Amino acid sequence: CSNFSIRKYVAIVSCEQRQSYKDDFNAEYGEYQNLLARIDNITQKFHKFNEEWKFVTQESKAHQVEKDKNVK
């Protein structure tokens, strides 16, 4: 279940309607920015992990060290 309400917007025909849309946008924009920052952070972690993974093969010493850590 989501905290977001899905609204269908129609063409703007009045200043009041425009302001209402603007208020809705502004009310949720901060949360959007926070979620986007979290996604960017997670994406960067995955990119870093992917780069590190390229250097750790099953035959490498680094892989064996990690394997030994997990066994203990």
Side-chain angles (χ1 to χ4, degrees):
C1 203
S2 175
N3 292 335
F4 297 106
S5 59
I6 298 176
R7 301 177 187 171
K8 303 270 181 178
Y9 293 108
V10 295
I12 297 172
V13 295
S14 69
C15 291
E16 293 82 12
Q17 186 182 22
R18 180 183 184 283
Q19 187 62 47
S20 176
Y21 285 5
K22 188 175 178 179
D23 292 343
D24 286 349
F25 175 85
N26 289 333
E28 296 184 13
Y29 187 64
E31 184 173 2
Y32 163 78
Q33 287 181 311
N34 289 336
L35 291 171
L36 184 60
R38 289 176 61 192
I39 290 169
D40 287 342
N41 187 359
I42 291 167
T43 301
Q44 288 175 6
K45 287 179 182 178
F46 273 106
H47 284 298
K48 182 180 175 186
F49 175 75
N50 189 43
E51 288 303 311
E52 291 173 359
W53 185 253
K54 290 177 185 177
F55 296 104
V56 181
T57 64
Q58 289 189 357
E59 295 81 27
S60 74
K61 182 173 175 135
H63 175 78
Q64 189 61 43
V65 168
E66 285 300 314
K67 184 178 173 185
D68 291 345
K69 279 188 208 176
N70 290 332
V71 170
K72 292 178 184 180

